Amino acid sequence: MKLKLTALIIAIAAPLQAQQLLHQPTDASPPTTIPAPLLNEIDDPFFKIAIQSAPQPRSLTAVINTLLEGGRSDFQSFVVGEQIGRSALSTECGPSNRRMVISFNGTHAPSGIVLDNNVFFSVFMTPNNPVGDIEVVAWDATHGTYNYYKLEGGTWRFRNSSSELDTASSSHLSQGCLSCHVNGGPVMKEFTFPWNHWHSLPNTFEALYLFPGVQSWPIANTNFLGNRLNGAQILEVSIQSSLQRFADADIRDHIDTASDGSVRVSDLPNLIDSLFQPTELNLGSSNKTSGLDEGGLTDRATGALNIPDSFFVNIFQMRDIDLPVFGGLGLVTNVFTPGNLGLSLEEYEELLSDNSIGTECMPGRDTLFPWFGPEPSEFDRRMVERLNRRGVVDDAFIAAVLAVDVETPLFSQERASLLRHVPQEVRSPSLSQLPDTLRAVVIVSLEAEANRSAAEDDFLTLLKNPDPVTELDTRVRGFLARTQEQLADPAARQTHLQQLFSRLLENREVFQTNPISAPLNEFTGLIPKPAN
């Protein structure tokens, strides 16, 4: 199905002329002719279908039509914005712009190229129509990389490839697409339920003004949205699948298997660092709206507001090794603050007031969903899970790492310091023996440390423990019991809530300053903060 009724004649060109695609690796660098060696390496669907088409599409409508040519493919649209809870055409922050993400599915009929989860567009939209530049990320299965493009000033520019992470300088990486996409893959920063700032499910937040209708935004009645508008829960699945194959490709590149079955894993600290420290950050929140965003589209909460479990522990990586304390739970959990252990709206308002919290340039006091702050990323979760599936690390090693400073799921200096004991490479007689080989090498390194820290002593003990998973489970259950006892005690509750809220504010500050996440803080109203 096309955006226009007029047919487009698409011809996949023979060799691409270099002047049809410019090269602009950083925001500060001028666009230049793309070098032939780089041009010859590009092998993603967007390049082969759109960039190599004649004529080359140079508008959003034209490039969508090019990918839909032949009627065997379609697209879905998703909408995100810090002001998603406000339907006004303009606000105190200026025009009510949103970001529209477009993903494609099906097969490009003329070429037979599969589009499913292989091409994503990002473009800003006003209440009336899409505006500005088009950003594209496309999966290159041949090289196991993501490529980044931008249509700017009427010309397509090749911006970056995720492969540059291995060779480019930090200053280079900080000025291009990889400043936000710090691991090279797609980013959906509000990744988990309830997808704060996204149009999503009726029981989370539906931006009804984006559905076709007389009272809707004009863009809702166009083919850019219309019946192609979907909720963030659908995009989450696509991003999860995309990150999984990206992780698989990266892991494959680091594992060499000899003819005798022996295995060598190279650059191990960079491959496994997602277990020891965050390499990306997502943003999570309470499961239901509070009404304190004051956008007029949600009511004041009447029940308790939970604190997300990811605030307390790295529940995502723990669930992937089937930690018993989280066994049998659904995808959406509320283990630490169930029922009345959660905050009443009045308690939450008091925390906001006592800490002078507000949303910059908007009248509301909070985000659409409360207790909004950083949480472990889906990229890090997926890397560890795939390393586990591939046999590089086992459940016991993962549990031993997570058990160190278990009550600090994100910014633990103690846990991060342990990464230096992971060798640059490890060799094992077979893949099945690899986890034991790695564990033995790390134990040797720890035992050789003359002045071990408390974290190193703890890690060494955990690695020698015959059942680190049970030990981790015991520690989490103890932390859970202490937390719930303090929240259930009227004499201790308020003090403990303030302590937890102070940690949330500290986490937010790190998110806004840490190089792995600061570039994602694009809008002043993203994260509520204390008044100056």
Side-chain angles (χ1 to χ4, degrees):
M1 189 176 228
K2 297 188 177 185
L3 293 178
K4 293 183 179 179
L5 297 177
T6 54
L8 292 177
I9 300 175
I10 305 298
I12 301 299
L16 175 72
Q17 299 301 310
Q19 66 267 23
Q20 291 179 268
L21 180 64
L22 300 177
H23 186 218
Q24 188 183 12
T26 71
D27 296 331
S29 59
T32 59
T33 300
I34 190 166
L38 174 58
L39 191 69
N40 294 333
E41 282 288 305
I42 303 173
D43 195 30
D44 64 70
F46 181 75
F47 177 83
K48 291 188 282 190
I49 297 171
I51 298 300
Q52 287 191 307
S53 67
Q56 192 180 77
R58 301 196 177 187
S59 71
L60 183 59
T61 297
V63 73
I64 289 176
N65 281 346
T66 299
L67 269 67
L68 302 192
E69 183 68 17
R72 292 169 54 195
S73 56
D74 207 342
F75 71 92
Q76 303 175 91
S77 297
F78 309 89
V79 178
V80 61
E82 287 78 3
Q83 301 181 69
I84 194 76
R86 312 183 77 194
S87 60
L89 300 182
S90 63
T91 70
E92 298 83 351
C93 301
S96 291
N97 293 344
R98 307 281 187 268
R99 186 185 293 274
M100 177 167 57
V101 175
I102 296 174
S103 70
F104 292 84
N105 52 72
T107 301
H108 178 248
S111 65
I113 295 173
V114 176
L115 298 176
D116 294 320
N117 298 335
N118 287 329
V119 180
F120 297 93
F121 291 0
S122 175
V123 62
F124 283 104
M125 55 175 254
T126 70
N128 297 306
N129 50 263
V131 294
D133 305 326
I134 305 171
E135 298 176 338
V136 179
V137 57
W139 171 245
D140 185 335
T142 302
H143 300 99
T145 57
Y146 277 101
N147 295 329
Y148 292 82
Y149 302 83
K150 191 172 187 179
L151 179 63
E152 182 177 358
T155 60
W156 282 105
R157 294 114 187 263
F158 183 85
R159 294 301 309 267
N160 299 107
S161 166
S162 57
S163 62
E164 295 172 31
L165 291 167
D166 298 328
T167 58
S169 67
S170 57
S171 61
H172 173 100
L173 295 175
S174 68
Q175 298 180 61
C177 300
L178 300 179
S179 64
C180 291
H181 301 263
V182 292
N183 282 305
V187 170
M188 180 182 178
K189 61 180 183 285
E190 301 95 343
F191 182 81
T192 53
F193 180 93
W195 312 284
N196 214 327
H197 299 143
W198 287 85
H199 163 76
S200 55
L201 293 166
N203 63 339
T204 52
F205 181 77
E206 277 190 315
L208 297 178
Y209 56 88
L210 298 177
F211 288 107
V214 177
Q215 301 299 318
S216 300
W217 280 11
I219 195 172
N221 297 299
T222 70
N223 282 324
F224 292 114
L225 295 182
N227 61 7
R228 290 186 172 91
L229 176 66
N230 270 285
Q233 73 280 2
I234 304 298
L235 183 60
E236 176 190 333
V237 175
S238 295
I239 299 297
Q240 186 177 73
S241 173
S242 300
L243 293 177
Q244 177 172 305
R245 70 181 174 195
F246 188 37
D248 285 340
D250 192 22
I251 293 167
R252 280 196 303 271
D253 285 345
H254 288 82
I255 298 180
D256 294 321
T257 304
S259 57
D260 62 357
S262 62
V263 175
R264 181 179 73 92
V265 183
S266 60
D267 197 21
L268 198 53
N270 284 331
L271 192 64
I272 206 174
D273 59 347
S274 291
L275 177 57
F276 291 82
Q277 60 189 358
T279 67
E280 279 188 20
L281 291 171
N282 287 156
L283 291 162
S285 65
S286 179
N287 290 343
K288 68 178 185 178
T289 57
S290 66
L292 299 181
D293 66 296
E294 299 179 14
L297 300 183
T298 59
D299 297 324
R300 284 177 62 86
T302 55
L305 303 169
N306 73 296
I307 299 174
D309 291 328
S310 61
F311 174 79
F312 295 98
V313 295
N314 192 335
I315 186 171
F316 307 124
Q317 292 183 17
M318 291 178 183
R319 290 183 64 170
D320 285 338
I321 60 170
D322 298 321
L323 199 68
V325 66
F326 300 125
L329 300 175
L331 292 176
V332 179
T333 63
N334 184 12
V335 176
F336 275 81
T337 56
N340 289 333
L341 292 182
L343 293 86
S344 69
L345 185 60
E346 291 71 26
E347 286 177 318
Y348 190 60
E349 286 183 297
E350 184 176 343
L351 288 171
L352 295 177
S353 177
D354 289 349
N355 293 275
S356 303
I357 304 299
T359 50
E360 195 168 338
C361 100
M362 291 192 291
R365 287 170 286 170
D366 200 35
T367 49
L368 193 63
F369 294 87
W371 210 275
F372 184 59
E375 67 178 5
S377 72
E378 179 63 16
F379 176 87
D380 289 329
R381 175 189 182 180
R382 207 46 54 197
M383 276 299 297
V384 174
E385 185 266 337
R386 301 316 287 178
L387 285 165
N388 184 233
R389 291 289 185 93
R390 189 67 176 83
V392 177
V393 294
D394 57 15
D395 289 0
F397 190 87
I398 294 171
V401 176
L402 294 178
V404 176
D405 200 13
V406 66
E407 299 177 19
T408 309
L410 283 177
F411 310 117
S412 168
Q413 295 298 322
E414 289 85 353
R415 192 165 52 250
S417 70
L418 303 175
L419 185 60
R420 69 188 184 91
H421 293 287
V422 174
Q424 281 299 311
E425 71 170 40
V426 64
R427 296 174 182 267
S428 176
S430 67
L431 184 61
S432 63
Q433 295 172 275
L434 182 57
D436 288 336
T437 303
L438 173 60
R439 183 167 26 252
V441 172
V442 174
I443 286 174
V444 168
S445 176
L446 286 163
E447 288 180 332
E449 185 68 39
N451 298 297
R452 284 193 298 272
S453 66
E456 288 171 322
D457 272 333
D458 190 24
F459 191 34
L460 180 59
T461 301
L462 286 158
L463 289 174
K464 291 182 174 181
N465 188 318
D467 190 2
V469 174
T470 296
E471 175 61 24
L472 172 61
D473 190 68
T474 299
R475 294 185 184 193
V476 172
R477 289 180 188 274
F479 179 37
L480 174 63
R482 291 192 303 276
T483 298
Q484 293 186 341
E485 286 171 7
Q486 288 175 301
L487 293 176
D489 179 359
R493 180 177 172 85
Q494 246 357 83
T495 298
H496 193 55
L497 284 176
Q498 179 57 59
Q499 291 170 345
L500 295 175
F501 194 72
S502 295
R503 193 205 309 172
L504 173 65
L505 297 182
E506 292 169 2
N507 289 351
R508 287 174 173 178
E509 181 63 28
V510 174
F511 180 89
Q512 295 173 90
T513 57
N514 194 310
I516 67 172
S517 51
L520 298 174
N521 191 30
E522 300 173 290
F523 177 66
T524 54
L526 174 64
I527 295 178
K529 60 189 70 173
N532 294 328

